[in-house]
Amino acid sequence: PTVKEAPPVLSPRKPTRKIRVGQVEVGGDAPVSVQSMTTTKTHDINATLQQIAELTASGCDIVRVACPTDKDAAALPIIAKKSQIPVIADIHFQPKYVFAAIEAGCGAVRVNPGNIRKFDDQVGAIAQAAKDAGVSLRIGVNAGSLDPRLLEKYGKATPEALVESAVWEASLFEEHDFHDFKISVKHNDPVVMVRAYEMLSERGDWPLHLGVTEAGPAFQGTIKSATAFGALLSQGIGDTIRVSLSAPPAEEVKVGSQILESLNLRPRKLEIVSCPSCGRAQVDVYELADSVTAGLEGMTVPLRVAVMGCVVNGPGEAREADLGVASGNGKGQIFVKGEVIKTVPEDQIVETLIAEAERIAADMGIE
Ligand code: SF4
């Protein structure tokens, strides 16, 4: 049997040590995972589990839930048990919730030392409890909650300040011989964030969780995250990612997955290669591309589908794809694996492409 060659990547992953978040491995040779965070009140168990189910269906690997109150902490055991993907409890301020989350069976706990008073005193006990339970941690340094000592030293949350904070907090755990943690150094400015992660990755082999904080509404947040993650992942930096959007969390997962697919860090699924249209177009390319995208939505078959507006570049591009259409004169030439298989009237293009995609999927044994 022929072994399928792995698609090229921009650079090899920078070696990091591997940890586990529940059943998902992070770091080392584990695939880069996609995370998101629920927006429900965690103590509303049904709503939270419902959202986790939606996130799981959209391809989320790991989910984080906020835990700001006793009621939320009390909900963690059921959520951790019933969630299909590992749950990370997100803890600020109150060390008691760190212990509650570890006991609840969460896959990991995110701690923000900048927000935990007298954090240094608690490290030994947290490390021991996590070690006993086989739970990993994330040290989540955040520009908005930087240690006041470092803010004073650097004047603001510079990359150097974020990295110094992270390295210091990591050393506290390492002094207790605890190594099962990943680190994030988030900032809302992609340039600061990229510099911080680059510097941090030079300082140790910790697995890194990438994130741009407060990235903004969907459009801006998508661009900021794609730019920042692209800059880092293309250098092999980053073991798990979370896109933060002021939008439903399933959108974050879609964006995160697409970033990884674009860089060949995750197998590509359906990919629509549509032309931008121009004065030569003989069909409404935007509408056609939207209809084809909507018609093929949810198909898991790894297909490149070309939607081209005219016959100038159309047939060439359509031939490069698994499936494609080149439009012209009110008709569409349908290509499968480089061969014109038929020409159909414009109003049958979408249904023909969908039927062909389903046929290819069936041939591949994919639903
Ligand atoms: Fe223009 Fe045709 Fe190229 Fe589309 S495929 S951009 S319509 S030349």
Side-chain angles (χ1 to χ4, degrees), residues 275-278 280-281 308-310 312-314:
C275 84
S277 189
C278 75
R280 290 186 205 93
M308 310 303 290
C310 80
V312 174
N313 293 322

mmCIF file of all heavy atoms in Angstrom, residues 275-278 280-281 308-310 312-314, ligand 1:
data_model
loop_
_atom_site.group_PDB
_atom_site.id
_atom_site.type_symbol
_atom_site.label_atom_id
_atom_site.label_comp_id
_atom_site.label_asym_id
_atom_site.label_seq_id
_atom_site.Cartn_x
_atom_site.Cartn_y
_atom_site.Cartn_z
ATOM 1 N N CYS A 275 -12.950 32.109 -7.037
ATOM 2 C CA CYS A 275 -12.243 33.278 -7.561
ATOM 3 C C CYS A 275 -12.874 34.552 -7.002
ATOM 4 O O CYS A 275 -14.009 34.548 -6.545
ATOM 5 C CB CYS A 275 -12.245 33.256 -9.083
ATOM 6 S SG CYS A 275 -13.719 33.932 -9.841
ATOM 7 N N PRO A 276 -12.137 35.671 -7.021
ATOM 8 C CA PRO A 276 -12.691 36.897 -6.446
ATOM 9 C C PRO A 276 -13.688 37.578 -7.384
ATOM 10 O O PRO A 276 -14.274 38.595 -7.017
ATOM 11 C CB PRO A 276 -11.451 37.775 -6.263
ATOM 12 C CG PRO A 276 -10.487 37.295 -7.291
ATOM 13 C CD PRO A 276 -10.744 35.832 -7.460
ATOM 14 N N SER A 277 -13.869 37.027 -8.561
ATOM 15 C CA SER A 277 -14.673 37.630 -9.623
ATOM 16 C C SER A 277 -13.935 38.840 -10.192
ATOM 17 O O SER A 277 -13.025 39.386 -9.568
ATOM 18 C CB SER A 277 -16.060 38.048 -9.107
ATOM 19 O OG SER A 277 -16.862 38.418 -10.209
ATOM 20 N N CYS A 278 -14.313 39.221 -11.381
ATOM 21 C CA CYS A 278 -13.754 40.424 -12.013
ATOM 22 C C CYS A 278 -14.651 40.750 -13.191
ATOM 23 O O CYS A 278 -15.710 40.138 -13.371
ATOM 24 C CB CYS A 278 -12.299 40.181 -12.448
ATOM 25 S SG CYS A 278 -12.137 39.160 -13.920
ATOM 26 N N ARG A 280 -14.629 39.977 -16.068
ATOM 27 C CA ARG A 280 -14.867 38.908 -17.054
ATOM 28 C C ARG A 280 -15.926 37.909 -16.591
ATOM 29 O O ARG A 280 -16.328 37.048 -17.368
ATOM 30 C CB ARG A 280 -13.588 38.122 -17.309
ATOM 31 C CG ARG A 280 -12.542 38.874 -18.054
ATOM 32 C CD ARG A 280 -11.359 37.951 -18.375
ATOM 33 N NE ARG A 280 -10.196 38.779 -18.541
ATOM 34 C CZ ARG A 280 -9.343 39.063 -17.570
ATOM 35 N NH1 ARG A 280 -9.509 38.524 -16.377
ATOM 36 N NH2 ARG A 280 -8.332 39.858 -17.793
ATOM 37 N N ALA A 281 -16.312 38.008 -15.317
ATOM 38 C CA ALA A 281 -17.194 36.975 -14.769
ATOM 39 C C ALA A 281 -18.501 36.887 -15.545
ATOM 40 O O ALA A 281 -19.081 37.903 -15.933
ATOM 41 C CB ALA A 281 -17.479 37.265 -13.301
ATOM 42 N N MET A 308 -15.334 28.921 -10.143
ATOM 43 C CA MET A 308 -14.678 29.938 -10.960
ATOM 44 C C MET A 308 -15.689 30.656 -11.838
ATOM 45 O O MET A 308 -16.607 30.047 -12.390
ATOM 46 C CB MET A 308 -13.605 29.276 -11.836
ATOM 47 C CG MET A 308 -12.652 28.377 -11.068
ATOM 48 S SD MET A 308 -11.783 29.206 -9.724
ATOM 49 C CE MET A 308 -10.709 30.267 -10.649
ATOM 50 N N GLY A 309 -15.483 31.963 -11.985
ATOM 51 C CA GLY A 309 -16.484 32.806 -12.622
ATOM 52 C C GLY A 309 -16.455 32.837 -14.137
ATOM 53 O O GLY A 309 -17.390 33.336 -14.758
ATOM 54 N N CYS A 310 -15.400 32.361 -14.746
ATOM 55 C CA CYS A 310 -15.361 32.402 -16.202
ATOM 56 C C CYS A 310 -14.418 31.335 -16.720
ATOM 57 O O CYS A 310 -13.808 30.606 -15.950
ATOM 58 C CB CYS A 310 -14.942 33.790 -16.702
ATOM 59 S SG CYS A 310 -13.161 34.042 -16.619
ATOM 60 N N VAL A 312 -11.601 31.850 -18.361
ATOM 61 C CA VAL A 312 -10.212 32.270 -18.574
ATOM 62 C C VAL A 312 -9.263 31.430 -17.709
ATOM 63 O O VAL A 312 -8.443 30.679 -18.204
ATOM 64 C CB VAL A 312 -10.024 33.775 -18.280
ATOM 65 C CG1 VAL A 312 -8.543 34.151 -18.364
ATOM 66 C CG2 VAL A 312 -10.812 34.609 -19.267
ATOM 67 N N ASN A 313 -9.405 31.596 -16.384
ATOM 68 C CA ASN A 313 -8.607 30.773 -15.461
ATOM 69 C C ASN A 313 -9.434 29.614 -14.931
ATOM 70 O O ASN A 313 -8.902 28.721 -14.290
ATOM 71 C CB ASN A 313 -8.152 31.591 -14.250
ATOM 72 C CG ASN A 313 -7.159 32.664 -14.647
ATOM 73 O OD1 ASN A 313 -6.314 32.449 -15.495
ATOM 74 N ND2 ASN A 313 -7.293 33.831 -14.037
ATOM 75 N N GLY A 314 -10.721 29.706 -15.164
ATOM 76 C CA GLY A 314 -11.640 28.754 -14.558
ATOM 77 C C GLY A 314 -11.268 27.305 -14.764
ATOM 78 O O GLY A 314 -11.008 26.581 -13.790
HETATM 79 FE FE1 SF4 B 1 -12.188 36.905 -13.270
HETATM 80 FE FE2 SF4 B 1 -12.571 34.590 -14.487
HETATM 81 FE FE3 SF4 B 1 -10.490 34.890 -12.824
HETATM 82 FE FE4 SF4 B 1 -12.937 34.784 -11.830
HETATM 83 S S1 SF4 B 1 -11.887 33.119 -12.932
HETATM 84 S S2 SF4 B 1 -11.371 36.282 -11.325
HETATM 85 S S3 SF4 B 1 -14.120 35.796 -13.403
HETATM 86 S S4 SF4 B 1 -10.803 35.917 -14.766
#
